[in-house]
mmCIF file of all heavy atoms in Angstrom:
data_model
loop_
_atom_site.group_PDB
_atom_site.id
_atom_site.type_symbol
_atom_site.label_atom_id
_atom_site.label_comp_id
_atom_site.label_asym_id
_atom_site.label_seq_id
_atom_site.Cartn_x
_atom_site.Cartn_y
_atom_site.Cartn_z
ATOM 1 N N ALA A 1 0.829 -1.193 0.000
ATOM 2 C CA ALA A 1 0.000 0.000 0.000
ATOM 3 C C ALA A 1 0.866 1.247 0.000
ATOM 4 O O ALA A 1 2.071 1.194 0.233
ATOM 5 C CB ALA A 1 -0.924 0.004 1.213
ATOM 6 N N SER A 2 0.234 2.374 -0.268
ATOM 7 C CA SER A 2 0.917 3.640 -0.070
ATOM 8 C C SER A 2 1.202 3.819 1.413
ATOM 9 O O SER A 2 0.530 3.249 2.268
ATOM 10 C CB SER A 2 0.073 4.793 -0.587
ATOM 11 O OG SER A 2 -1.074 4.982 0.221
ATOM 12 N N ALA A 3 2.185 4.615 1.723
ATOM 13 C CA ALA A 3 2.556 4.820 3.118
ATOM 14 C C ALA A 3 1.407 5.392 3.927
ATOM 15 O O ALA A 3 1.168 4.969 5.062
ATOM 16 C CB ALA A 3 3.782 5.725 3.204
ATOM 17 N N THR A 4 0.695 6.346 3.363
ATOM 18 C CA THR A 4 -0.412 6.963 4.083
ATOM 19 C C THR A 4 -1.508 5.954 4.381
ATOM 20 O O THR A 4 -2.013 5.874 5.503
ATOM 21 C CB THR A 4 -0.983 8.141 3.286
ATOM 22 O OG1 THR A 4 0.022 9.129 3.107
ATOM 23 C CG2 THR A 4 -2.172 8.755 4.017
ATOM 24 N N THR A 5 -1.898 5.195 3.378
ATOM 25 C CA THR A 5 -2.914 4.172 3.571
ATOM 26 C C THR A 5 -2.465 3.139 4.590
ATOM 27 O O THR A 5 -3.222 2.746 5.482
ATOM 28 C CB THR A 5 -3.239 3.485 2.238
ATOM 29 O OG1 THR A 5 -3.770 4.444 1.328
ATOM 30 C CG2 THR A 5 -4.242 2.359 2.440
ATOM 31 N N PHE A 6 -1.242 2.729 4.478
ATOM 32 C CA PHE A 6 -0.747 1.658 5.318
ATOM 33 C C PHE A 6 -0.705 2.046 6.788
ATOM 34 O O PHE A 6 -1.043 1.236 7.653
ATOM 35 C CB PHE A 6 0.642 1.231 4.845
ATOM 36 C CG PHE A 6 1.115 -0.042 5.459
ATOM 37 C CD1 PHE A 6 0.739 -1.262 4.929
ATOM 38 C CD2 PHE A 6 1.936 -0.028 6.575
ATOM 39 C CE1 PHE A 6 1.176 -2.447 5.496
ATOM 40 C CE2 PHE A 6 2.375 -1.204 7.150
ATOM 41 C CZ PHE A 6 1.992 -2.417 6.610
ATOM 42 N N THR A 7 -0.309 3.245 7.079
ATOM 43 C CA THR A 7 -0.128 3.644 8.468
ATOM 44 C C THR A 7 -1.431 3.863 9.211
ATOM 45 O O THR A 7 -1.462 3.739 10.439
ATOM 46 C CB THR A 7 0.731 4.907 8.576
ATOM 47 O OG1 THR A 7 0.145 5.953 7.803
ATOM 48 C CG2 THR A 7 2.144 4.647 8.079
ATOM 49 N N ILE A 8 -2.511 4.179 8.527
ATOM 50 C CA ILE A 8 -3.760 4.501 9.197
ATOM 51 C C ILE A 8 -4.803 3.398 9.119
ATOM 52 O O ILE A 8 -5.789 3.436 9.861
ATOM 53 C CB ILE A 8 -4.377 5.799 8.653
ATOM 54 C CG1 ILE A 8 -4.815 5.623 7.199
ATOM 55 C CG2 ILE A 8 -3.385 6.957 8.802
ATOM 56 C CD1 ILE A 8 -5.590 6.797 6.647
ATOM 57 N N ALA A 9 -4.608 2.435 8.253
ATOM 58 C CA ALA A 9 -5.657 1.469 7.978
ATOM 59 C C ALA A 9 -5.280 0.064 8.422
ATOM 60 O O ALA A 9 -4.116 -0.320 8.448
ATOM 61 C CB ALA A 9 -5.984 1.455 6.494
ATOM 62 N N ALA A 10 -6.309 -0.687 8.766
ATOM 63 C CA ALA A 10 -6.168 -2.129 8.811
ATOM 64 C C ALA A 10 -6.199 -2.671 7.387
ATOM 65 O O ALA A 10 -6.759 -2.050 6.480
ATOM 66 C CB ALA A 10 -7.296 -2.743 9.633
ATOM 67 N N ILE A 11 -5.603 -3.826 7.188
ATOM 68 C CA ILE A 11 -5.613 -4.482 5.896
ATOM 69 C C ILE A 11 -6.284 -5.832 6.055
ATOM 70 O O ILE A 11 -5.935 -6.598 6.957
ATOM 71 C CB ILE A 11 -4.205 -4.661 5.325
ATOM 72 C CG1 ILE A 11 -3.518 -3.300 5.144
ATOM 73 C CG2 ILE A 11 -4.255 -5.426 4.002
ATOM 74 C CD1 ILE A 11 -4.168 -2.408 4.101
ATOM 75 N N GLY A 12 -7.226 -6.092 5.195
ATOM 76 C CA GLY A 12 -7.901 -7.373 5.194
ATOM 77 C C GLY A 12 -7.632 -8.128 3.913
ATOM 78 O O GLY A 12 -7.568 -7.535 2.834
ATOM 79 N N TRP A 13 -7.452 -9.424 4.035
ATOM 80 C CA TRP A 13 -7.392 -10.314 2.888
ATOM 81 C C TRP A 13 -8.750 -10.974 2.711
ATOM 82 O O TRP A 13 -9.289 -11.561 3.651
ATOM 83 C CB TRP A 13 -6.327 -11.386 3.070
ATOM 84 C CG TRP A 13 -4.932 -10.938 2.766
ATOM 85 C CD1 TRP A 13 -3.953 -10.619 3.649
ATOM 86 C CD2 TRP A 13 -4.357 -10.786 1.460
ATOM 87 N NE1 TRP A 13 -2.797 -10.273 2.994
ATOM 88 C CE2 TRP A 13 -3.018 -10.363 1.643
ATOM 89 C CE3 TRP A 13 -4.832 -10.959 0.165
ATOM 90 C CZ2 TRP A 13 -2.163 -10.120 0.576
ATOM 91 C CZ3 TRP A 13 -3.981 -10.711 -0.891
ATOM 92 C CH2 TRP A 13 -2.669 -10.297 -0.681
ATOM 93 N N PHE A 14 -9.271 -10.869 1.523
ATOM 94 C CA PHE A 14 -10.518 -11.511 1.142
ATOM 95 C C PHE A 14 -10.262 -12.470 -0.002
ATOM 96 O O PHE A 14 -9.268 -12.368 -0.700
ATOM 97 C CB PHE A 14 -11.553 -10.475 0.701
ATOM 98 C CG PHE A 14 -12.082 -9.604 1.798
ATOM 99 C CD1 PHE A 14 -11.312 -8.598 2.343
ATOM 100 C CD2 PHE A 14 -13.372 -9.784 2.280
ATOM 101 C CE1 PHE A 14 -11.791 -7.783 3.350
ATOM 102 C CE2 PHE A 14 -13.878 -8.979 3.284
ATOM 103 C CZ PHE A 14 -13.084 -7.979 3.817
ATOM 104 N N ARG A 15 -11.189 -13.377 -0.203
ATOM 105 C CA ARG A 15 -11.105 -14.241 -1.368
ATOM 106 C C ARG A 15 -12.485 -14.459 -1.950
ATOM 107 O O ARG A 15 -13.495 -14.390 -1.253
ATOM 108 C CB ARG A 15 -10.451 -15.588 -1.026
ATOM 109 C CG ARG A 15 -11.254 -16.463 -0.091
ATOM 110 C CD ARG A 15 -10.431 -17.677 0.302
ATOM 111 N NE ARG A 15 -11.162 -18.579 1.175
ATOM 112 C CZ ARG A 15 -10.622 -19.622 1.790
ATOM 113 N NH1 ARG A 15 -9.328 -19.899 1.617
ATOM 114 N NH2 ARG A 15 -11.363 -20.393 2.571
ATOM 115 N N GLN A 16 -12.496 -14.735 -3.234
ATOM 116 C CA GLN A 16 -13.738 -14.982 -3.925
ATOM 117 C C GLN A 16 -13.518 -16.040 -4.993
ATOM 118 O O GLN A 16 -12.704 -15.857 -5.896
ATOM 119 C CB GLN A 16 -14.291 -13.709 -4.556
ATOM 120 C CG GLN A 16 -15.674 -13.869 -5.143
ATOM 121 C CD GLN A 16 -16.341 -12.541 -5.441
ATOM 122 O OE1 GLN A 16 -15.669 -11.526 -5.612
ATOM 123 N NE2 GLN A 16 -17.656 -12.537 -5.487
ATOM 124 N N ALA A 17 -14.237 -17.126 -4.859
ATOM 125 C CA ALA A 17 -14.228 -18.184 -5.853
ATOM 126 C C ALA A 17 -15.443 -18.014 -6.760
ATOM 127 O O ALA A 17 -16.418 -17.361 -6.387
ATOM 128 C CB ALA A 17 -14.257 -19.553 -5.177
ATOM 129 N N PRO A 18 -15.400 -18.594 -7.960
ATOM 130 C CA PRO A 18 -16.548 -18.487 -8.856
ATOM 131 C C PRO A 18 -17.835 -18.932 -8.181
ATOM 132 O O PRO A 18 -17.881 -19.961 -7.523
ATOM 133 C CB PRO A 18 -16.172 -19.411 -10.012
ATOM 134 C CG PRO A 18 -14.682 -19.385 -10.023
ATOM 135 C CD PRO A 18 -14.280 -19.317 -8.574
ATOM 136 N N ALA A 19 -18.859 -18.127 -8.343
ATOM 137 C CA ALA A 19 -20.196 -18.386 -7.800
ATOM 138 C C ALA A 19 -20.277 -18.228 -6.290
ATOM 139 O O ALA A 19 -21.333 -18.473 -5.706
ATOM 140 C CB ALA A 19 -20.711 -19.754 -8.214
ATOM 141 N N ASN A 20 -19.198 -17.831 -5.655
ATOM 142 C CA ASN A 20 -19.198 -17.635 -4.214
ATOM 143 C C ASN A 20 -19.134 -16.155 -3.858
ATOM 144 O O ASN A 20 -18.685 -15.323 -4.646
ATOM 145 C CB ASN A 20 -18.018 -18.357 -3.570
ATOM 146 C CG ASN A 20 -18.166 -19.858 -3.571
ATOM 147 O OD1 ASN A 20 -19.239 -20.385 -3.859
ATOM 148 N ND2 ASN A 20 -17.083 -20.553 -3.256
ATOM 149 N N LYS A 21 -19.574 -15.858 -2.661
ATOM 150 C CA LYS A 21 -19.459 -14.495 -2.172
ATOM 151 C C LYS A 21 -18.025 -14.227 -1.737
ATOM 152 O O LYS A 21 -17.261 -15.143 -1.441
ATOM 153 C CB LYS A 21 -20.412 -14.266 -1.005
ATOM 154 C CG LYS A 21 -20.098 -15.117 0.220
ATOM 155 C CD LYS A 21 -21.079 -14.866 1.354
ATOM 156 C CE LYS A 21 -20.742 -15.711 2.571
ATOM 157 N NZ LYS A 21 -21.703 -15.494 3.673
ATOM 158 N N ARG A 22 -17.672 -12.973 -1.715
ATOM 159 C CA ARG A 22 -16.360 -12.601 -1.223
ATOM 160 C C ARG A 22 -16.335 -12.730 0.289
ATOM 161 O O ARG A 22 -17.208 -12.196 0.981
ATOM 162 C CB ARG A 22 -16.023 -11.175 -1.656
ATOM 163 C CG ARG A 22 -14.596 -10.767 -1.375
ATOM 164 C CD ARG A 22 -14.256 -9.439 -2.040
ATOM 165 N NE ARG A 22 -14.325 -9.533 -3.495
ATOM 166 C CZ ARG A 22 -13.977 -8.557 -4.319
ATOM 167 N NH1 ARG A 22 -13.526 -7.406 -3.834
ATOM 168 N NH2 ARG A 22 -14.083 -8.720 -5.634
ATOM 169 N N GLU A 23 -15.345 -13.437 0.797
ATOM 170 C CA GLU A 23 -15.269 -13.685 2.225
ATOM 171 C C GLU A 23 -13.952 -13.207 2.808
ATOM 172 O O GLU A 23 -12.909 -13.256 2.155
ATOM 173 C CB GLU A 23 -15.450 -15.181 2.527
ATOM 174 C CG GLU A 23 -14.354 -16.061 1.962
ATOM 175 C CD GLU A 23 -14.472 -17.520 2.396
ATOM 176 O OE1 GLU A 23 -15.171 -17.794 3.389
ATOM 177 O OE2 GLU A 23 -13.865 -18.384 1.737
ATOM 178 N N LEU A 24 -14.021 -12.782 4.043
ATOM 179 C CA LEU A 24 -12.825 -12.352 4.751
ATOM 180 C C LEU A 24 -11.997 -13.562 5.143
ATOM 181 O O LEU A 24 -12.502 -14.509 5.739
ATOM 182 C CB LEU A 24 -13.199 -11.555 5.997
ATOM 183 C CG LEU A 24 -12.034 -11.073 6.865
ATOM 184 C CD1 LEU A 24 -11.201 -10.033 6.122
ATOM 185 C CD2 LEU A 24 -12.549 -10.493 8.175
ATOM 186 N N VAL A 25 -10.726 -13.516 4.827
ATOM 187 C CA VAL A 25 -9.788 -14.577 5.175
ATOM 188 C C VAL A 25 -9.030 -14.224 6.440
ATOM 189 O O VAL A 25 -8.924 -15.029 7.371
ATOM 190 C CB VAL A 25 -8.809 -14.839 4.018
ATOM 191 C CG1 VAL A 25 -7.764 -15.877 4.420
ATOM 192 C CG2 VAL A 25 -9.571 -15.292 2.783
ATOM 193 N N ALA A 26 -8.477 -13.036 6.477
ATOM 194 C CA ALA A 26 -7.686 -12.584 7.612
ATOM 195 C C ALA A 26 -7.572 -11.077 7.553
ATOM 196 O O ALA A 26 -7.717 -10.470 6.488
ATOM 197 C CB ALA A 26 -6.297 -13.227 7.614
ATOM 198 N N ALA A 27 -7.305 -10.475 8.689
ATOM 199 C CA ALA A 27 -7.132 -9.035 8.749
ATOM 200 C C ALA A 27 -6.110 -8.693 9.809
ATOM 201 O O ALA A 27 -5.915 -9.440 10.772
ATOM 202 C CB ALA A 27 -8.461 -8.335 9.048
#
C-alpha cells in the first residue's frame, strides 16, 4: 500500500471463488 494508507488502515485479505461471495480470510 501507499505509506499513508498503510499507516492509518487495517488491511484485510478476502477471497472470492466463482459463484461464491467474497469472504474475509484474515485481517
Side-chain angles (χ1 to χ4, degrees):
S2 69
T4 299
T5 298
F6 192 84
T7 56
I8 66 173
I11 300 294
W13 279 103
F14 290 74
R15 66 187 182 189
Q16 187 165 23
N20 289 348
K21 64 180 181 181
R22 189 170 296 185
E23 64 174 342
L24 178 67
V25 176

